[in-house]
Amino acid sequence: MPGIPREVIEHNLRIYPDATPVRQKPRKQSVERQNFIREEVRKLLHAGFIEEVHHPEWLANPVVVPKANGKLRMCIDYTSLNKACPRDPYPLPRIDQIVDSTSGCDLLSFLDAYSGFHQIQMSREDRKHTAFVTVDGLYCYIVMPYGLRNALPTFVRAMNKTFCNLIRDIVEVYVDDIVVKTKVGSTLVEDLSLVFDGCAPRARS
């Protein structure tokens, strides 16, 4: 996946200058979880989302957590790193306003941004700080991983930039959930085309 161009947005950690780097010690994992982590790392490498890293100053552990559907997910424990980063106060959309804005529409189309966080690149100078340890070696993220402080504000900012000419007209966005608002059913295809093409809204007769 090509992802979002770096000139549009990238994720910066902005670590406090006086922060002391923390290298977490490798945690004990069951054989089953080691195998799961190994497979997830293989997938991430194949997708170009991570790369091997040498001599990182910050180092975190992967953790395996269950998802709502019962499947497992590999996350990285960035607790130490997050404490060293200031919070980004960029606001999240208000769900109540999004719901109110859909009133009176003939049709609503619901879209989901696939692997959304991984479409945003890490800044080159901050990649090495996302390092994590496995039984097979050390890796860091090329793209923005889940679990980083301010990853959510960065993603919301990216979505607002992407749909800046469409939001509040025919699109509403809450994080990676996108609602296309079709006020008149006959314009459904046009509305969806505008969203997928990233075009500005055209005047309608």
Side-chain angles (χ1 to χ4, degrees):
M1 292 178 285
I4 299 175
R6 191 180 296 277
E7 58 268 22
V8 175
I9 197 166
E10 64 179 10
H11 188 66
N12 297 275
L13 295 178
R14 307 189 188 282
I15 297 173
Y16 293 121
D18 58 348
T20 301
V22 175
R23 290 179 177 171
Q24 296 179 6
K25 295 181 179 179
R27 296 176 186 169
K28 184 178 180 180
Q29 305 270 10
S30 68
V31 174
E32 291 77 11
R33 296 207 167 191
Q34 286 181 19
N35 289 336
F36 178 80
I37 291 171
R38 182 178 287 112
E39 178 60 20
E40 291 301 294
V41 167
R42 185 194 66 80
K43 292 177 183 177
L44 291 169
L45 283 169
H46 180 73
F49 291 160
I50 64 173
E51 64 183 4
E52 287 192 76
V53 65
H54 302 279
H55 310 294
E57 295 178 340
W58 294 84
L59 191 61
N61 274 277
V63 292
V64 179
V65 297
K67 297 195 291 187
N69 59 10
K71 295 184 178 180
L72 298 178
R73 168 185 289 171
M74 184 186 80
C75 301
I76 310 299
D77 178 12
Y78 286 125
T79 303
S80 301
L81 179 61
N82 287 342
K83 289 179 180 179
C85 300
R87 289 190 179 278
D88 182 350
Y90 195 83
L92 295 179
R94 289 181 57 95
I95 294 180
D96 56 338
Q97 291 179 351
I98 292 176
V99 172
D100 290 345
S101 74
T102 63
S103 176
C105 295
D106 278 359
L107 297 169
L108 298 175
S109 302
F110 296 89
L111 311 175
D112 182 74
Y114 177 72
S115 195
F117 277 35
H118 291 163
Q119 305 306 311
I120 298 175
Q121 299 181 67
M122 287 296 303
S123 66
R124 292 186 175 89
E125 62 271 20
D126 284 332
R127 285 181 182 178
K128 60 183 180 296
H129 300 321
T130 66
F132 60 95
V133 58
T134 76
V135 294
D136 298 316
L138 308 179
Y139 302 90
C140 69
Y141 274 87
I142 298 171
V143 297
M144 185 175 70
Y146 295 96
L148 282 182
R149 173 170 286 180
N150 302 324
L152 184 58
T154 294
F155 186 78
V156 172
R157 187 180 279 111
M159 295 294 276
N160 287 342
K161 286 186 176 183
T162 301
F163 297 107
C164 62
N165 294 322
L166 302 176
I167 289 176
R168 286 178 292 278
D169 180 14
I170 64 169
V171 166
E172 297 294 341
V173 179
Y174 186 80
V175 191
D176 59 350
D177 294 315
I178 304 162
V179 180
V180 182
K181 305 181 296 185
T182 298
K183 297 173 184 176
V184 181
S186 59
T187 66
L188 173 62
V189 173
E190 179 186 3
D191 291 340
L192 291 175
S193 295
L194 287 171
V195 174
F196 287 125
D197 292 341
C199 299
R202 297 188 294 269
R204 297 194 181 112
S205 56

